[in-house]
């Protein structure tokens, strides 16, 4: 099974900061990777699909990059509504979620 | 408006069974692979099972293989998850989803809670 190693597991940041979250796959997955945001009590919401495509309606401060085994989600300027938990998800072979990154207010 | 409405969760003793359902509307259900994803309290997301568009191919996480059965009824736009031999570690919020990792759309229900305890 493909393993997804997501880091960091948590981070503290201030409004306006640039935030980077990474996911590493245990084998190549092409660009079959998505990034999700989850807020407490809510279902996950997709931000990025196909590794780097911005989902319609998602602010442009979110961006994704990478292919193969190494992927990055970047928030260019953190906003108050961005404090949440973020997950990567691969669907190259079955599905595997990363362990999550909780973004907290510094 | 797209809706995925899960039902069937509840409290059950270890070794018991539950059948989850997910009623889909607002999109062409029969066109898509569908998924069950779960989230234990305070934990991350875990894929449980998938089923292809016509129900002929099903896939399971190792943690539930042999105990859970996914199925779908495209005439009723409904997804099911039969859960047998339940364990305490199956306690979680179970989401029904149409995932858009490769391309949109991406839809999730609000989840149904399964609690397994003696």
């Amino acid at each position: 099974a493909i393993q997804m190693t997501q880091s960091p597991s948590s981070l503290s940041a201030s409004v306006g900061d640039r935030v980077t979250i990474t996911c590493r796959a245990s084998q190549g997955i092409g660009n079959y990777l998505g990034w999700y945001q989850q807020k407490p009590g809510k279902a996950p919401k997709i931000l990025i699909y196909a590794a780097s495509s911005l989902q319609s309606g998602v602010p442009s401060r979110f961006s994704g990059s990478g292919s193969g085994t190494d992927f990055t989600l970047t928030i260019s300027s953190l906003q108050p509504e961005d404090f949440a938990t973020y997950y990567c998800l691969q669907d190259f072979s079955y599905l595997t979620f990363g362990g999550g990154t909780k973004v907290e207010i510094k | 408006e797209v809706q995925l409405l899960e039902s069937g969760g509840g409290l059950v003793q270890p070794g018991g069974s539950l059948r989850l359902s997910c009623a889909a509307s607002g999109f062409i259900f029969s066109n898509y692979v569908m998924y069950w994803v779960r989230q234990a309290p305070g934990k991350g997301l875990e894929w449980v099972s998938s089923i292809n568009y016509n129900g002929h191919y099903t896939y399971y996480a190792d943690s539930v293989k042999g105990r859970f059965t996914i199925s779908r009824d495209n005439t009723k736009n409904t997804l099911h998850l039969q859960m047998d031999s339940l364990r305490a570690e199956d306690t979680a919020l179970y989401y029904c989803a149409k995932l858009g990792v490769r391309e949109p759309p991406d839809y999730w229900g609000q989840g149904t809670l399964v609690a397994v305890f003696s």
Side-chain angles (χ1 to χ4, degrees):
Chain A
I2 296 175
Q3 308 299 319
M4 300 300 296
T5 303
Q6 186 173 341
S7 62
S9 56
S10 65
L11 64 90
S12 296
S14 300
V15 172
D17 284 353
R18 182 181 182 89
V19 168
T20 299
I21 299 168
T22 64
C23 260
R24 173 164 289 177
S26 59
Q27 65 184 75
I29 60 170
N31 70 339
Y32 293 154
L33 184 111
W35 288 98
Y36 288 80
Q37 177 193 68
Q38 187 180 34
K39 295 183 177 180
K42 298 294 187 180
K45 169 189 170 185
I46 195 164
L47 303 173
I48 301 290
Y49 66 95
S52 60
S53 296
L54 189 68
Q55 177 74 8
S56 175
V58 173
S60 59
R61 63 181 178 272
F62 292 94
S63 64
S65 64
S67 67
T69 59
D70 294 305
F71 301 88
T72 300
L73 173 71
T74 300
I75 309 172
S76 61
S77 178
L78 198 65
Q79 298 302 299
E81 60 268 31
D82 300 337
F83 292 95
T85 301
Y86 294 83
Y87 296 92
C88 62
L89 171 60
Q90 71 80 19
D91 85 337
F92 177 81
S93 174
Y94 303 107
L95 294 185
T96 314
F97 287 92
T101 297
K102 186 173 184 178
V103 177
E104 299 176 303
I105 301 172
K106 183 182 284 185
Chain B
E1 179 192 5
V2 170
Q3 276 199 316
L4 292 172
L5 188 59
E6 302 97 336
S7 61
L11 306 178
V12 63
Q13 292 187 329
S17 297
L18 281 175
R19 180 176 171 86
L20 306 184
S21 296
C22 172
S25 61
F27 68 104
I28 305 174
F29 178 77
S30 59
N31 279 3
Y32 297 113
V33 176
M34 293 297 296
Y35 300 85
W36 288 100
V37 173
R38 69 184 180 184
Q39 187 167 35
K43 302 297 184 183
L45 299 165
E46 179 189 16
W47 167 68
V48 174
S49 184
S50 313
I51 188 167
N52 82 319
Y53 74 99
N54 62 8
H56 289 181
Y57 297 97
T58 58
Y59 309 91
Y60 301 93
D62 287 344
S63 57
V64 307
K65 199 173 295 182
R67 301 187 297 122
F68 290 11
T69 303
I70 191 171
S71 62
R72 67 192 297 163
D73 184 342
N74 286 344
T75 66
K76 297 181 179 178
N77 291 345
T78 305
L79 180 71
H80 299 287
L81 187 68
Q82 177 66 40
M83 310 166 66
D84 298 321
S85 303
L86 282 161
R87 307 167 179 167
E89 54 265 36
D90 296 318
T91 294
L93 186 64
Y94 284 73
Y95 292 104
C96 160
K98 186 281 167 197
L99 297 175
V101 173
R102 299 189 185 190
E103 61 180 351
D106 188 276
Y107 306 133
W108 293 68
Q110 285 307 298
T112 186
L113 185 61
V114 172
V116 184
F117 70 99
S118 55

